[in-house]
Amino acid sequence: MMLDAKKPSVRVLSVAAALMFASVAQAETLGLSTLKQPGSEGEAAALKFAKLVAERTEGRIEVKVYPASQLGDWTEVYEQVMQGAVDMAMQPLATADDKRLAITWFPYAFTNYETAKASLSPGGAVFKIVNEAISAKGLTPLGVYGEGMGGAGFAKAVENPADPDAKHNLKVRVWPGGTTHKVLLERFGYNTATLPWAELYTGMQTGVVDGQIGGTANMALESFKDITRTWIQYNDHFEGDWFIVNSDRYAALPEADQKILLDAAQEVSAERFEQVKAADAKALDTMRAAGIDVVTFDDATLDKLAAIARKDVWPQIAGELGQETLDQLKASLGM
C-alpha cells in the first residue's frame, strides 16, 4: 500500500519536471553586441539591461551580452542586426544608408543634458526622427546610453574660445564625411582638415592638425591624454549609443515582453542620464589634474553659441539631414 501510494507522487514529479524542462527549452535568447569593453560602465549598463529583462520575464528571455565588438566591427554588426543575424546591439547608428541619422551628432540640436534627455527619449524629437529612419531598415530603437557632451581637444593653447567671431590660426581634424562640424568649426574661426581616425594621434603629435572634435572629454582622455593641452567643452553634440533590436525578432515576442524590453532599456537610459553629467564633470577634473587647460561655458554662452550655429551653420548643412528632418528639429526647438 505504501508503495502504491508513492506512485502518483512519482508521476506528478515526472510531469512537473517535464513542464519545467519544456519551460526552459522555450526560453528566448537574444544576443546583444556592444563596443563597450569588459569592466566599463557601458558594459555594466548592457548587463543591467539583460538582468532586468531576465527578472521581469521570469526567465522567458535571456539577453546574452557580447562586449568589445566580439561579434564584429560595429558597422558590420549594424547590418547584421538589420538582417536578423544579430538580435540586438548597443552602439552608434550607421548613417551610410540614411542621412537623417546625422541628427545624432547634428551640432547644437541641444546644448545641455536636460534637453538631450527629453529629445532622445520616446516621444522626443530626435528619438522620433531616428525611429522613423531606422524602422524602414528593420530596426527598432529602445533607448540611448549616453556617453556625454561633445567638445574639442587641442595640442596647443586656444585664445578667445568663447568668441565665435575670433580667428584662430589652428587646424582642427574632422572625420571623413564630417561636413556638419567642418562648417561649424569654420564659422567659429578655425581651419579644418579631414584625417582618418587611425592617423589622428600622429597628426596631432606632429602638427599636421592642431586639434580634434567629435567626441567627449572621456574619449579624449582615453586616446589623446598625453598630447592634449587644451579642452574646450563646446557641448556641440551629445554622444550616445543606441539600444536597437531587429524589428522582426522584436515583433515575434509577446506584446508584454516587448514592453519589458522597452521599459528595461528606458530604465537603463534614464539612469545613465542621471549619471552622465557627473561622469563628464569627473573627466574634466581628471583633465585638470593632468595639467590640461579645461574651458567650460556658462548657459548664456552656450545658448549664444547654439543660436549662432543654428542661424549661420544650419542653412549650410541642411542637406546633411534633408529639409523635412531639419524642419522637424526646428519645430521641436520652437524655431
Side-chain angles (χ1 to χ4, degrees):
M1 290 292 294
M2 289 180 62
L3 184 60
D4 289 340
K6 291 180 181 179
K7 288 181 180 179
S9 296
V10 171
R11 286 196 296 271
V12 169
L13 289 171
S14 299
V15 171
L19 289 173
M20 288 174 63
F21 179 80
S23 175
V24 171
Q26 293 170 6
E28 295 275 358
T29 299
L30 302 177
L32 185 151
S33 174
T34 180
L35 289 72
K36 304 307 181 187
Q37 295 296 317
S40 67
E41 292 180 345
E43 188 209 30
L47 291 172
K48 179 169 183 179
F49 169 77
K51 181 181 178 183
L52 290 174
V53 170
E55 290 175 351
R56 294 173 185 178
T57 61
E58 298 179 337
R60 292 191 305 277
I61 299 177
E62 176 191 1
V63 176
K64 183 171 177 55
V65 176
Y66 294 90
S69 300
Q70 291 179 21
L71 300 184
D73 176 79
W74 70 271
T75 55
E76 298 172 353
V77 168
Y78 191 78
E79 294 290 333
Q80 291 172 340
V81 179
M82 282 187 193
Q83 297 161 5
V86 175
D87 302 308
M88 302 184 68
M90 189 186 91
Q91 64 171 53
L93 302 176
T95 60
D97 292 332
D98 197 317
K99 63 184 180 182
R100 289 175 292 177
L101 295 180
I103 191 70
T104 58
W105 68 67
F106 205 68
Y108 292 105
F110 21 70
T111 59
N112 56 50
Y113 302 94
E114 292 73 27
T115 54
K117 179 180 180 180
S119 195
L120 292 168
S121 298
V126 173
F127 196 96
K128 285 181 178 178
I129 291 167
V130 168
N131 184 45
E132 181 181 342
I134 71 174
S135 62
K137 306 293 183 182
L139 300 172
T140 298
L142 301 178
V144 179
Y145 174 83
E147 285 288 350
M149 283 289 181
F154 297 83
K156 298 179 178 180
V158 181
E159 295 183 4
N160 303 318
D163 183 0
D165 296 315
K167 298 301 179 184
H168 308 288
N169 187 27
L170 297 170
K171 186 178 290 185
V172 186
R173 179 262 186 184
V174 293
W175 61 96
T179 303
T180 55
H181 280 62
K182 172 181 170 62
V183 178
L184 176 72
L185 287 166
E186 290 173 355
R187 173 59 185 85
F188 284 178
Y190 297 98
N191 301 316
T192 60
T194 300
L195 202 65
W197 174 262
E199 299 174 20
L200 179 51
Y201 183 93
T202 302
M204 286 182 64
Q205 192 177 43
T206 59
V208 173
V209 292
D210 302 303
Q212 54 87 19
I213 195 168
T216 66
N218 193 56
M219 293 165 70
L221 283 171
E222 291 175 351
S223 300
F224 310 108
K225 180 179 178 180
D226 61 324
I227 57 172
T228 298
R229 179 176 173 186
T230 305
W231 175 263
I232 304 177
Q233 189 60 53
Y234 275 119
N235 283 18
D236 53 281
H237 75 292
F238 186 80
E239 191 84 15
D241 287 344
W242 288 72
F243 283 97
I244 53 175
V245 58
N246 176 270
S247 295
D248 289 340
R249 193 79 166 94
Y250 187 59
L253 299 173
E255 286 189 14
D257 289 345
Q258 292 178 29
K259 187 175 187 306
I260 286 172
L261 261 67
L262 176 62
D263 288 348
Q266 281 302 302
E267 183 171 327
V268 171
S269 298
E271 184 178 81
R272 178 59 180 176
F273 269 111
E274 295 300 318
Q275 300 168 344
V276 71
K277 185 175 183 178
D280 277 350
K282 181 180 178 181
L284 295 181
D285 285 342
T286 301
M287 284 184 163
R288 294 184 184 101
I292 298 170
D293 181 21
V294 174
V295 179
T296 59
F297 305 119
D298 58 23
D299 289 344
T301 303
L302 287 172
D303 288 343
K304 177 184 176 182
L305 294 174
I308 289 171
R310 292 165 182 173
K311 175 179 176 292
D312 297 342
V313 176
W314 282 13
Q316 298 183 60
I317 59 175
E320 293 296 298
L321 293 182
Q323 193 60 51
E324 182 180 350
T325 302
L326 182 58
D327 288 344
Q328 287 178 268
L329 177 59
K330 286 182 174 180
S332 76
L333 296 168
M335 297 175 61

